[in-house]
Amino acid sequence: MKSARRGLIVTFAAVAFLCAAWYNPVQAPDEAGLRKKALALNNFTGDDPIKAEIKALAEDASNTRPLLRVAVKMAKEDPQPFNYNGAFILARAALQLKELDASFFLHRVCFELANKLRSPQKMGQAYIGMDLTIKLYYQDKKNEQGLKASRELLELENKIGANDLLKGETYRLLISGLIEGGKVDEARKLVDGLIKARNTWRNVELKALLERKARNYAAAVKIYEEVLPLLAKDETLSNEEKTELDGQARVAIVETLFLDRKFDQSAKAAAKLLDTPEKLGAQDKAMVLKLQIRSLALQGKVKEAEGLLDKLDDGKQDIDSKLDNLELKAWLAQQKGDDTQAAKLYEDLLERVKKNDKMEKDVKEEYENEIRYLLSSVYIDMDQLDKALKQLEFLLKKHPDNATYNNDLGYIWADHDMKLPEAEKLIRKALELERQERKNKPGLKPDEDHDNAAYLDSLGWVLFKLKNYPEAKKYLLEAVKDKEGQHIEILDHLGDVYMALGEKAEAVNTWKKALTLETKTRREKERKGQVEKKLKANQ
């Protein structure tokens, strides 16, 4: 649902695409007929006829896929027979059908033709197509194809003498692919080489992006701060451009601090940035305000956060922004402890999303899943167990191999002494699914190859409920080894296991340690109260 964050460089607007069913072979037309049909696309002129033809081809997937295969073969001939319009229609149809190899190749043909025509508009259209295709490679876990296409695009840009702005966007794609593929060292080497050659703000910003994607948030913030003076010294930029780019760099700092759970710093940086509105576009202003609200709430400053809600709605927002605002209001109500209001808002949001015919099918389903998952959490807080289970069971039925849904349903069953053997199976499945995901992730470092602490806690807890205390202890001890396992709820569970084993001193020490941890959310504070009672009863 939420749109991806822009980088510091203004990117081209994304275009929508449709997902179609895979081609089911039928009697294919002869190649001569397909060649004739492909060449006829050269005769289309005008935006509306071209858009209509792209739509028609995308909706006729079974006949368009063989046409695309022949068109790619034709485009590899010397000389290739397509003009810009013909190649563009084919390229866009390939993109909408997610025929990614054809899409990238044909958009590249468009890019080269546009360069010969000296048409910045057409070059921009072609670039958008290649950019989206590369992103879809990564989205579909086709990392090597994405990396190959990113490198080809850079070579093409260097060949035609593209400016730093355009190449910077392609470097972003390449760096993202390298990090996703576990090739962080290669990405760093690439960026360090760029900085060594030209210590520009654009190259330094790429390094900040790299560290952020690698989750080295503190390093990323420091590097973003180095970008600011370099921006100010760039004489190729107008004052207006400097102001806008400076604002975007500061937005990135606010975001990165939030991701690093430095909520106090994030809220302060957001407030300071909002005091200089000339640096922010409407979209950035809304996003920074939302980050400020969440950062305040996660510090326990819910009333202060709530006081900022009215600033979000200026009456000019599109439907996606209004839905996003409603989700934030529901989340804030939950943080405040007003579960009834939170449930009402989430239920309203779910109905609005269901009725939104303008939202793409895949996006709508993903957003519905997110709302149902959040609703399940609220229902648990309201002790409406049946409603919570209904949402999770619905999600798991649709996505049986989703590790989170398996774990959460299993944990709730266990926590309420329900279906314990089935709960154990679900949690073990979650762990196995997550292990398989790690196994398939290239370049995973040894210190990153460990089980999810929350899932280990769930398994330990269900084994505790099954009175298998030694096994429960084993998994909970494994959970607390991880940084993410240093959580008051997990340590509380470990304390209960120690008590069940008659190891009272260890239980008391574990509960004492639990109380040293920072508690920000309502649930964490409630758990802290429970731990304090246990300590008082056992000291």
Side-chain angles (χ1 to χ4, degrees), residues 466-516:
L466 287 164
K467 303 188 185 305
N468 188 347
Y469 304 131
E471 282 294 294
K473 177 181 173 180
K474 181 179 77 172
Y475 287 108
L476 286 165
L477 285 173
E478 189 67 26
V480 298
K481 286 181 184 178
D482 185 33
K483 179 182 177 182
E484 297 299 321
Q486 291 299 300
H487 189 277
I488 190 167
E489 183 173 1
I490 298 177
L491 287 171
D492 184 25
H493 288 163
L494 180 58
D496 286 342
V497 170
Y498 277 133
M499 285 297 292
L501 288 167
E503 300 171 2
K504 184 176 179 179
E506 288 82 355
V508 168
N509 288 334
T510 301
W511 284 325
K512 285 182 177 179
K513 183 178 179 181
L515 293 178
T516 66

Side-chain angles (χ1 to χ4, degrees), residues 383-399:
D383 290 326
Q384 295 186 6
L385 183 60
D386 289 346
K387 286 187 176 182
L389 292 175
K390 182 179 178 181
Q391 295 298 334
L392 284 173
E393 287 165 357
F394 177 89
L395 290 170
L396 190 59
K397 185 176 180 180
K398 286 179 66 178
H399 304 282

Side-chain angles (χ1 to χ4, degrees), residues 425-440:
K425 288 179 182 177
L426 288 183
I427 295 166
R428 288 189 184 277
K429 182 177 179 180
L431 278 161
E432 188 55 41
L433 287 167
E434 200 257 346
R435 287 167 186 160
Q436 190 61 43
E437 185 177 336
R438 292 201 311 274
K439 183 179 179 181
N440 294 333

Side-chain angles (χ1 to χ4, degrees), residues 328-367:
L328 179 58
K329 290 177 182 178
W331 177 84
L332 194 56
Q334 187 178 10
Q335 298 301 311
K336 185 181 177 181
D338 191 346
D339 296 323
T340 301
Q341 178 68 2
K344 181 180 178 181
L345 290 170
Y346 279 133
E347 288 163 356
D348 180 25
L349 180 59
L350 184 59
E351 290 305 310
R352 291 192 189 195
V353 172
K354 286 180 180 179
K355 294 175 182 178
N356 188 346
D357 295 331
K358 294 183 179 180
M359 196 177 289
E360 292 179 26
K361 182 180 178 181
D362 289 349
V363 175
K364 178 186 284 193
E365 181 179 345
E366 181 181 351
Y367 198 24

